[in-house]
Amino acid sequence: MSSDYRRKYEAKRKDPLKPYYPIIGLILIGIAGAVGYFGRASVYAFVKSNLLTNTTGLPEDSVMEYVVAFGIGLVLIGVFSMVFAVFAPKPKNRKETSESTLKREKEEMDAERLRAKRRKAQMHAKMKKANRQKNQ
């Protein structure tokens, strides 16, 4: 009998890392910033020699290195975000309007009505039995 109620009222398992997501995000931002900072000179030298030949009006090289470092950081944060979006646990209660979802919800509601009816019948039988014993 208790197995009828176990599935509906059972506690849901929670993601143990969820409270640490902001801290993990800050660490990843720090990593992206550090990689951008330490890789800025070599990446800027590569970009300058291959893509920025014969360009004028650019700020001085030290400023452009920091612009490249910021760009590297943004790209790495974007990559981390895409990887997280692909592998993050999806919520199970996402609302989808499909026939199978609606059918499953209807079946769950019917099962809940049946459980409530059984509980009511059990309670009625217990009360009837108690009243009989009290009247004897």
Side-chain angles (χ1 to χ4, degrees):
M1 181 56 101
S2 65
S3 64
D4 289 342
Y5 308 116
R6 169 167 283 168
R7 182 172 42 97
K8 177 153 177 86
Y9 298 107
E10 190 173 19
K12 304 281 190 269
R13 288 189 48 136
K14 295 182 180 177
D15 183 13
L17 290 178
K18 193 167 189 169
Y20 300 109
Y21 283 168
I23 296 169
I24 293 170
L26 289 174
I27 291 170
L28 290 178
I29 288 172
I31 290 170
V35 169
Y37 180 78
F38 291 116
R40 73 186 191 279
S42 59
V43 172
Y44 179 63
F46 175 77
V47 168
K48 186 177 181 182
S49 65
N50 292 326
L51 300 175
L52 298 178
T53 55
N54 300 328
T55 56
T56 58
L58 292 176
E60 59 185 70
D61 287 348
S62 63
V63 174
M64 286 303 293
E65 284 181 2
Y66 286 109
V67 170
V68 169
F70 183 74
I72 292 170
L74 283 180
V75 167
L76 288 177
I77 290 170
V79 169
F80 290 148
S81 299
M82 286 190 302
V83 169
F84 180 77
V86 169
F87 293 109
K90 305 295 184 267
K92 293 183 179 178
N93 59 355
R94 290 187 347 195
K95 293 292 180 188
E96 296 178 11
T97 309
S98 66
E99 291 296 323
S100 62
T101 305
L102 294 174
K103 183 179 179 184
R104 184 173 29 85
E105 287 178 0
K106 184 178 184 293
E107 289 171 354
E108 287 175 3
M109 288 175 17
D110 290 342
E112 178 60 32
R113 272 193 223 110
L114 184 61
R115 283 192 290 268
K117 190 175 180 180
R118 282 188 201 149
R119 285 192 301 265
K120 187 176 179 181
Q122 286 175 347
M123 185 59 71
H124 184 65
K126 285 180 185 179
M127 289 173 58
K128 193 173 183 180
K129 184 178 177 183
N131 283 338
R132 277 192 210 145
Q133 289 177 352
K134 188 165 80 173
N135 290 337
Q136 288 181 348

